[in-house]
Amino acid sequence: MKVLVTGGLGFIGANFVRFLSRARPAWKIVNLDKQTYAGNPANLAGLKVLTIKKDICDAKAVDAAMKGCDYVVHFAAETHVDRSILDAGAFLKTNILGTQVLLDAALRHKATRFLHVSTDEVYGSIPKGYSKEGDHLEPNSPYAASKAASDLLVRSYFVTHKAPVLTTRASNNYGPYQYPEKALPLMITNFMEDKPFPQYGDGKQVRDWLHVRDHARAILTVLEKGALGEVYNIGGSYTCQNRELIQKVLKLMKKPNGLVTRVEDRKGHDRRYALDCSKLKRLGFKHEYDFERGLAQTISWYINNEAWWRPLKVAGGYRAYVKKAYKK
Ligand code: NAD
Ligand code: DAU
């Protein structure tokens, strides 16, 4: 088996590559990653994986990378909602056009399974209940809209070209190697420095937390057992409001309750996500991580791996982004 992974230098892609190399040691993994600000070779340190540093929008590079691959697992994307609000351009290019380039190459090379990694954000905010795979898509941020567009493109390749596709839609991931612009690593690393976490608005937004290793296992389950053309939700094992999460992390890190600054809310901020995962569970998937344990381990990981995150937070590009994004 030869698998092409895209975005393997990012948070979830790297955790997936690490998991896959243990779970399926005989499989050959090729990683195609442009190494944007979010792509970090240190995420794959110690692994023998060929990484091709190219853009998924580059049809020639994609063609070369896909040669001889049986499976494709497509993670590469621009992923931070706040950045998509500042500038949507790269999101549309990578997330939509990049997916099209990959789908065309997969058809040409006769890949037998193409798994497209997507997000619960495509359903939009739901005040109560759980989003199901057949629900109407109502993306609210430019990021979510670009992912919804890519989901529809994948669907169209199944109907039009009989492409062997699968789509997964996951909730908020947490765990090691997450770039510290996202809420949880930002929170943990700020608290380590006795700096406050900038809470958007009233902090009553609800997120569904999925350990990244459970996500990796769920993706392999769908890759091997999912029905072609289908969509599978991958939710987490714990749902809470952001303000509750902040208090939980403060308590675990033994920091004062008041280490929070309320800042202007994110534009178009979705209030609540929640996924119905019964379809995934019918494939035999069960969560391994309970949130309390996963969160405590994640905090320990950032405490023990300051050498991983510190250079990211002091880099000029990161500081310029923070200045722009949090100016109010
Ligand atoms: P990330 O931002 O940590 O990493 C993205 C990776 O893609 C980086 O390595 C980057 O270099 C690469 N990349 C970006 N543009 C590229 C391009 N044009 N060509 C090649 N490589 C490129 O992202 P993540 O959080 O690991 O998310 C991975 C996937 O999972 C994305 O598709 C995202 O939409 C989806 N997802 C993420 C979450 C989450 O909580 N983080 C939840 C659900 C779904
Ligand atoms: O739901 C899946 C999605 O989860 C993925 O598709 C996205 O790629 C991923 O980035 C994530 O999106 P969110 O916007 O939910 O994640 P983020 O970590 O940015 O924020 C989590 C919550 O915390 C959200 O309600 C916004 C809030 N937040 C975030 C930041 C960065 C704050 O209150 N303050 C902050 O500084």
Side-chain angles (χ1 to χ4, degrees), residues 79-82 119-121 143 170-173 178 181-184 186 197-200 205 207 209 242 266 269-270 273 326:
T79 64
H80 194 39
V81 174
D82 296 317
T119 170
D120 60 1
E121 300 209 6
Y143 160 70
S171 60
N172 283 64
N173 281 224
Q178 187 168 28
E181 67 187 349
K182 302 281 165 71
L184 206 43
L186 177 67
F197 174 72
Q199 172 190 295
Y200 293 162
Q205 305 83 7
R207 293 293 182 269
W209 293 96
N242 291 339
R266 174 186 277 173
H269 199 170
D270 283 338
Y273 302 131
Y326 295 90

Side-chain angles (χ1 to χ4, degrees), residues 15 20 45 62 73 81 115 130 136 150 180 190 197 212 221 236 241 256 262 272 288 293 311 322-324:
N15 276 286
L20 190 65
V62 167
V73 185
V81 174
L115 190 147
Y130 298 89
H136 186 64
S150 65
N190 272 14
F197 174 72
V212 67
T221 302
Q241 292 186 345
R262 186 167 166 163
R272 178 176 177 271
E288 265 176 13
R293 177 171 71 97
V322 166
K323 211 169 160 191
K324 202 167 167 191

Side-chain angles (χ1 to χ4, degrees), residues 205-317:
Q205 305 83 7
V206 173
R207 293 293 182 269
D208 173 5
W209 293 96
L210 168 68
H211 195 283
V212 67
R213 288 182 191 142
D214 272 340
H215 190 187
R217 257 184 338 102
I219 286 175
L220 183 59
T221 302
V222 174
L223 183 66
E224 293 185 324
K225 298 186 188 163
L228 296 182
E230 293 292 319
V231 177
Y232 294 87
N233 286 343
I234 308 179
S237 53
Y238 187 79
T239 300
C240 67
Q241 292 186 345
N242 291 339
R243 59 184 190 162
E244 291 164 352
L245 178 70
I246 298 167
Q247 289 309 316
K248 220 178 228 310
V249 175
L250 283 170
K251 198 167 165 205
L252 282 167
M253 295 182 72
K254 298 187 174 53
K255 297 287 177 180
N257 293 349
L259 211 50
V260 184
T261 311
R262 186 167 166 163
V263 298
E264 189 179 323
D265 207 349
R266 174 186 277 173
K267 288 184 191 170
H269 199 170
D270 283 338
R271 287 298 273 184
R272 178 176 177 271
Y273 302 131
L275 288 175
D276 179 317
C277 300
S278 40
K279 194 169 168 185
L280 172 71
K281 289 186 176 156
R282 285 199 292 275
L283 296 182
F285 176 81
K286 284 196 187 81
H287 291 96
E288 265 176 13
Y289 280 83
D290 123 88
F291 188 65
E292 302 292 329
R293 177 171 71 97
L295 182 62
Q297 283 179 358
T298 301
I299 293 172
S300 299
W301 190 87
Y302 287 94
I303 291 174
N304 295 327
N305 289 277
E306 191 167 338
W308 178 85
W309 61 261
R310 177 76 63 192
L312 303 176
K313 275 186 108 171
V314 298

Side-chain angles (χ1 to χ4, degrees), residues 96-150:
I96 307 174
L97 296 178
T99 301
Q100 173 243 316
V101 170
L102 285 163
L103 285 165
D104 283 338
L107 284 176
R108 269 197 307 280
H109 289 276
K110 301 193 174 15
T112 55
R113 295 208 150 215
F114 183 108
L115 190 147
H116 170 61
V117 178
S118 190
T119 170
D120 60 1
E121 300 209 6
V122 299
Y123 298 116
S125 194
I126 56 158
K128 56 182 184 343
Y130 298 89
S131 301
K132 285 193 165 210
E133 289 83 352
D135 285 357
H136 186 64
L137 303 189
E138 254 178 38
N140 292 317
S141 69
Y143 160 70
S146 70
K147 293 296 289 187
S150 65

Side-chain angles (χ1 to χ4, degrees), residues 10-12 33-34 36 39 55-56 75 79 94 118 143 147 173:
F11 165 49
I12 307 173
D33 194 303
K34 182 182 171 184
T36 64
D55 193 325
I56 57 165
F75 295 94
T79 64
T94 290
S118 190
Y143 160 70
K147 293 296 289 187
N173 281 224

